[in-house]
Amino acid sequence: MTADDSPGGLTMTPDAEAQTPPGERHSRTLMLTDYQAELLTEIAKRLPDRLEASVAGNARTVAERMVATIPGTSIWQEKIGPFYEASAIAKWKGVSRQHVHKLRNQCVLLAVQTADAKSLLFPAWQFGPGGEPLPHLRPVIDALLPAARDEWSQALWLNVKTPRFGGRSAADLLKSNELGPVLDAARNDAARLAP
């Protein structure tokens, strides 16, 4: 894949089309936004050292898994999001949707239910760069339960940046394995706000 002269355009060379069915291998230009072109360039830089077709699977499967890791949007995105759907996490991690739901039920992952009760959305901030879940989520959720019974309140509490954490969120501290201050704050807030 090489950049051509048009803005956002990429030319696919025959080498890049090795997975294309016979008879369809020809150079073509894809019109992409500048962001899409930059994203594909950054992905292409990282592929030689990390990807072998014999290990990763066919190009379509790899592309589906990569795209699944891009969070979706919602009206709550500014406060809690962006979000992943369970199916996207399952594709990303190479597990079943049932396994993702099991992790939610075990408080390894936090999910919020949509108003129509048809979908669960998983806030993206609870995942590390490699998809690892936020550490120590279960004890914090347990401490918040007397006051923050619904997962929307829990997600908001975990993700709001606050002066008590030096301008960081509880989730930021948990990512740094700073459980103590988060647990203390969760217990204090729960005691103060419990009915």
Side-chain angles (χ1 to χ4, degrees), residues 60-184:
R60 174 177 241 119
T61 300
V62 172
E64 286 174 357
R65 284 185 179 160
M66 291 171 74
V67 169
T69 67
I70 301 170
T73 61
S74 91
I75 59 171
W76 283 92
Q77 186 162 337
E78 280 186 41
K79 299 288 183 192
I80 302 173
F83 300 94
Y84 293 115
E85 292 181 354
S87 58
I89 296 168
K91 282 182 188 176
W92 179 20
K93 301 303 291 172
V95 299
S96 68
R97 281 192 344 233
Q98 291 80 7
H99 183 73
V100 174
H101 287 284
K102 181 180 175 184
L103 294 173
R104 180 219 181 202
N105 292 338
Q106 295 170 342
C107 282
V108 173
L109 295 178
L110 178 67
V112 293
Q113 194 163 34
T114 57
D116 63 7
K118 292 183 179 181
S119 298
L120 288 173
L121 303 175
F122 295 78
W125 48 257
Q126 68 185 314
F127 297 97
E132 62 279 0
L134 186 67
H136 313 296
L137 184 61
R138 177 71 189 239
V140 175
I141 296 299
D142 288 345
L144 286 171
L145 278 177
R149 294 187 182 273
D150 69 275
E151 292 166 323
W152 285 99
S153 298
Q154 296 163 6
L156 188 60
W157 190 91
L158 283 159
N159 199 46
V160 169
K161 299 194 182 309
T162 176
R164 82 168 109 178
F165 298 139
R168 299 187 299 163
S169 69
D172 292 334
L173 269 66
L174 292 177
K175 288 176 186 174
S176 301
N177 284 311
E178 299 176 55
L179 176 60
V182 175
L183 210 46
D184 290 343

